[in-house]
Amino acid sequence: MKTSKSVWFFSLMHLSRTQNNIQRYFGTNSVIYNKKDEQSVPTHEISKETESQDSVKENTKKDLLNIIKGMKVELSTVNVQTTKPPNRRQLRSLEATVGRLQRAPEDAPKKRSESLSPELVAAASAVADSLPFDKQTTKSELLRQLRQHEEDSRAQKEGERPKISFSNIISDMKVAKSATARVSTRPVHQIQFDEGSDDYGGQEKTADLRKSLRKNIFKGKRLNIFDLKAVTEEAPEAETAPSLWDVEFAKQLAAVNEQPFQNGFEEMIQWTKEGKLWEFPINNEAGFDDDGSEFYEHVFLDKYLEDFPKQGPIRHFMELVTCGLSKNPYLSVKQKVEHIEWFKNYFNEKRDILKDSNIHFN
Amino acid sequence: MAAAASARWLRIRCRLCLPLKSRRADPCEQAPSCRFYSESAALPNVEGADVTGIEEVIIPKRKTWDKVAVLQALASTVNRDTTAAPYAFQDDPYLIPASSLESRSFLLAKKSGENAAKFIINSHPKYFQKDIAEPHIPCLMPEYFEPQIEDISEAALKERIKLRKVKASVDMFDQLLQAGTTVSLETTNGLLDLLCYYGDQEPSADYHFQQREQSEESEEATEENNEKSRKKAGPQLGVTWRAKNNAERIFALMPEKNAHSYCTMIRGMVKHRAPVQALNLYTELLNNRLRADVYTFNAVIEAKALMVNEKFEEKWNNILELLKQMVAQKVKPNLQTFNTILKCLRRFYAFGRLPALQTLREMKAIGIEPSLATYHYIIQLFYQQESSAKGSPLIIYDIMNEVMGKKFSPKDPDDDAFFQSAMRVCSSLRDLELAYQVHGLLNTGDNWKFIGPDNRRNFYYSRFFSLLCLMEQIDVTLKWYKDLIPSVFFPHSQTLIDLLQALDVANRLELIPQIWKDSKEYGHTYRSDLKEEILMLMARDQHPPELQVAFADCAADIKSTYENQDARQTVPDWPANPLNYIIVLFLRAGRTQEAWKMLELFRKHNKIPRNELLNEFMDSAKASSSPDQAMEVVKLASAFSLPICESLTRRVMADFAVSQEQKEALGNLTALTSDSDSDSDSDISEGK
């Protein structure tokens, strides 16, 4: 019986998997599912089947619980022989089913729960055909199962039994990683019911946590220890040399996003930084290091002509000199200034002669 | 004149749109400057219209460029080549790695070569004095790791501390003390820093290769990388704080101690797992009316959480108490403070969840931007053991909403673990949409650099790709396959099996031979689970003839790997399943000869053929109308005492023109089988 139930699960999943890829979305994302539902005709047909499955599920929560419990047992036996392909296949679809159940929207469309639709019967037989087990038995088992669900759902409709929250049952279920699973199989293959470590903080804490989670995780109660003002205000930091701790922490941080080079240029960047490579010129000052003086100090030399006459031949001459100097890339700023100074001194010395020639130099 | 020249310079060099101020300001300019005017007319038209007005002169800000700006611009133009190995592996074609194992050894070999060269140069600097580079390149010259100052002085001690010679520094300190020299407080603190950081052990001389400490890595060891030796944890990990070590001795000897001395001691104790001593020293620090810095508080928080024999609640209250002390002492918390708290809360399991959220909100509230590591800790706390506990599945969505589109810079040593844990959650939630979001974040800006070292990258991409195989349409999956493999990562065999299953679901089995070719290339030639999966998928159903031929070729190739493997292992072993599948594939492709040859292997290795296989053989015998072959099949079946023997015999009788002798032989065989039928039940079930 248990086998047939899990087979039923498996078969429906399998069906949707093989028939249509889009259907696979259904398993995981309710939003997409709803979208797909309203889409093209072939998609719709298939989703009908799953829908009817859904409605059955809706109404037979207790059965589902049984089935899921059954699955657990089934799994533990299956796990032993995961190397067998058909079993693994089954497992995989089971996983998918579980994943879907966990995230299944609770407001799933409640539509049809009348009689077994012909599609469903066809699907069941198709599933039975695709299975390596005895086909007739599988099919009849599947159908019997479906019919029973149908009856149950009808009975429940009449009686309005007290609702057992489906989500509560499912939320207690989790896919856990087992320590031994690492060696051979993928850990997600294992399903177990575990209520242990999670309820650590007791009921009160959990309720608190849930309330805390319902909203955005960034909004809610905080520790209320630190004050924004106290933290942001600038405190005079004592200037100290970085200690060994600081240096090593900086190294660690630098290593965090260290990745192998993506291309040759990145390698060249690294070499440039290490000083192994000639710096790639980025402007006309490449390799030009004049004690950090800027280009305008090289070019604008007019300010050194203050002490010279405002007009006349000396002014003319000096302007030509500064023009020449400003174009000279070989002299440093200091040398250029010295050059101008030299002329100043020269003209100062020759002041007498200049005076004779009727030229005033200050 | 000078102005003219300079203006031209400006225009050419800096694209400065110099407004035409000088035009009016200096009307008595000389003739040559006319050229300047005419040229400047070519400047942007904005000025051209209102020459007469006197406008504000807006001098654009000078742009300073990094010296590698051009290289960076060039580098940004290079995209990943999806058909090639990553750049780091491009070398001699023979050496280009094709599997994750090879790539790892490639990188290690490259790095160890560099290290070896450096080691030789640095240990024999006198042989490497010739300066060949012009201009001089300092980093190519030997570094001096041996102390140069011989005499006993504080300068010599400082030099030894700078060179991180732990033992030599301690010796020097002792000699100084014996000589009666007092060492300055600053130098002693430097010595304490050294001793505490390295736990009074000589730092390892492995040239900073993968020296990063990975304290809590073990819990993340995954099936993906447990085969790799995880020796990355530096040698410091094993260092524990010994009581009465040199650090404690020197600390006790110090005539005057300042806050720094205490702080570095506390940090060292916590780093080397001595929380009790650290907390004691912290009390002492408070008694001496000194103030701890924020780093020390971070360390003490960790110490509180490390304390054994305390309940989670108690520990949490202690941590809160410490935070209040920080406020009282006006110590500003930093990112590390909160990350340390969250890191510790991870060990509190479910209890840690509410405090963790409060801590996160506190961070946000006081304006400390969480780093990737912060989110990593939260994710780890809420998704322990891949569980989907109550309510927590929403956490990851909130986090992703928050970080979407942000560019991160490294702020915490654990920043590179985020993407791995986020993808782990996506994979356990089976949420493809979320996985795409995470991947989108990874490809925002330079975030991809946070994917971490090789094993993390492999884990991340394997999980991502497995999820794609499971959830995505096959065409999209194949597109990702082409895009990611091999230029981003080399697939694990499980990854390939996932892909095969996706192909199966989508009915695209014709791609299997290609996948097998790839698997061989990526070093999975001898993965029997992968080979079995491939064979199973190929042999399960009937296919059109062309496809069967391709499959048979592929099967022959796989067969040869089994045979080669025999040569490697000296113990020849043919598992039953692949044998069955390969023969079936041969039969369907009409390679009857080979199939018959392989049938012998069943007998040789004492494996039992399946019923379907024998039926296939019968079909093929019938197709070639050869009763001898049919007889062979029956003989084989009876040799294994299979129950199918009887029905096979019946088929031979019905379908073939059998001679009298053969009939008799058949009769004998059947009798034999029915005799031994009873005791061969176990074999049958195995054969199925």
Side-chain angles (χ1 to χ4, degrees), chain A residues 24 28 88 92 248 285, chain B residues 164 470-472 501 533:
Chain A
R24 285 197 288 151
T28 53
R88 192 171 48 219
R92 221 178 104 169
E248 286 299 318
E285 288 163 56
Chain B
R164 308 203 178 169
L470 199 63
M471 318 275 305
E472 188 55 278
Q501 284 169 351
E533 179 82 19

Side-chain angles (χ1 to χ4, degrees), chain A residues 17 24 28 88 92 95 198-199 212 217 222-226 231 245 248 267 285 294 299, chain B residues 6 13 62 87 164 264 332 361-362 386 389-390 395 398 430 452 470-472 501 505 533:
Chain A
R17 277 175 59 175
R24 285 197 288 151
T28 53
R88 192 171 48 219
R92 221 178 104 169
E95 266 168 46
D198 274 9
D199 293 337
S212 201
I217 55 164
R222 64 181 181 107
L223 296 177
N224 281 321
I225 291 176
F226 293 106
V231 172
W245 294 92
E248 286 299 318
E267 198 166 16
E285 288 163 56
E294 296 287 341
V299 172
Chain B
S6 62
R13 290 184 67 246
R62 188 183 179 217
Y87 176 77
R164 308 203 178 169
T264 193
K332 283 195 282 181
R361 287 170 194 146
E362 182 86 359
E386 314 215 353
K390 298 156 197 122
I395 285 279
D398 276 346
R430 299 261 183 283
L470 199 63
M471 318 275 305
E472 188 55 278
Q501 284 169 351
V505 168
E533 179 82 19

Side-chain angles (χ1 to χ4, degrees), chain B residues 46-67:
Chain B
V46 195
E47 276 91 15
D50 45 5
V51 193
T52 43
I54 295 182
E55 323 91 49
E56 189 91 8
V57 177
I58 301 156
I59 299 173
K61 285 252 161 58
R62 188 183 179 217
K63 268 195 174 171
T64 41
W65 293 97
D66 197 20
K67 61 181 176 181

